[in-house]
Amino acid sequence: VQLQASGGGLVQAGGSLRLSCAASGSRFSINIMGWYRQAPGSQRELVATITTSGITNYADSVKGRFTISVDAAKSTVYLQMNSLKPEDTAVYYCLARHRDVSDYDTDYWGQGTLVTVSS
């Protein structure tokens, strides 16, 4: 599975950005897609995930501001980010995950896209 993320950039606090991530390759095994982020000096953290059945999971810090969605026909996952804050500044990584019946995860990562929110 290959992932190509796009949509990052510089935005003022309170603004919006939309990230996209297109999957290619052996996509049939993927049952979860999502976004993680990593700020300088910090560990990579969950932002949001969505399953093939549409179940979403969000970090508390982004609930009510970010929305994850997927276009199955395009094998693309989106992250709509509204009311952005300076603390949202990070490199955002796209994730495609295969979770098997034993809950064992195989993760595939995109190259990352930088989001910078100025105050």
Side-chain angles (χ1 to χ4, degrees):
V1 177
Q2 295 79 46
L3 301 170
Q4 182 66 46
S6 60
L10 173 64
V11 64
Q12 288 188 331
S16 298
L17 281 175
R18 188 193 195 205
L19 305 183
S20 300
C21 178
S24 60
S26 300
R27 295 158 289 171
F28 68 92
S29 63
I30 299 304
N31 41 28
I32 299 170
M33 295 191 75
W35 295 90
Y36 279 63
R37 67 186 181 187
Q38 186 167 18
S42 299
Q43 290 188 333
R44 192 173 296 189
E45 63 177 11
L46 168 74
V47 177
T49 59
I50 185 167
T51 70
T52 50
S53 56
I55 297 171
T56 58
N57 181 42
Y58 292 94
D60 287 343
S61 59
V62 307
K63 283 180 180 177
R65 299 189 298 123
F66 291 10
T67 302
I68 190 169
S69 61
V70 65
D71 184 333
K74 296 180 179 179
S75 297
T76 299
V77 62
Y78 304 97
L79 185 68
Q80 178 66 43
M81 304 185 294
N82 298 329
S83 302
L84 282 160
K85 304 175 181 180
E87 51 263 44
D88 294 318
T89 295
V91 177
Y92 283 70
Y93 294 92
C94 176
L95 165 75
R97 172 172 291 162
H98 170 67
R99 175 166 290 171
D100 69 16
V101 294
S102 302
D103 284 342
Y104 180 82
D105 292 339
T106 300
D107 290 345
Y108 304 89
W109 295 96
Q111 83 282 11
T113 184
L114 178 62
V115 172
T116 303
V117 184
S118 62
S119 57

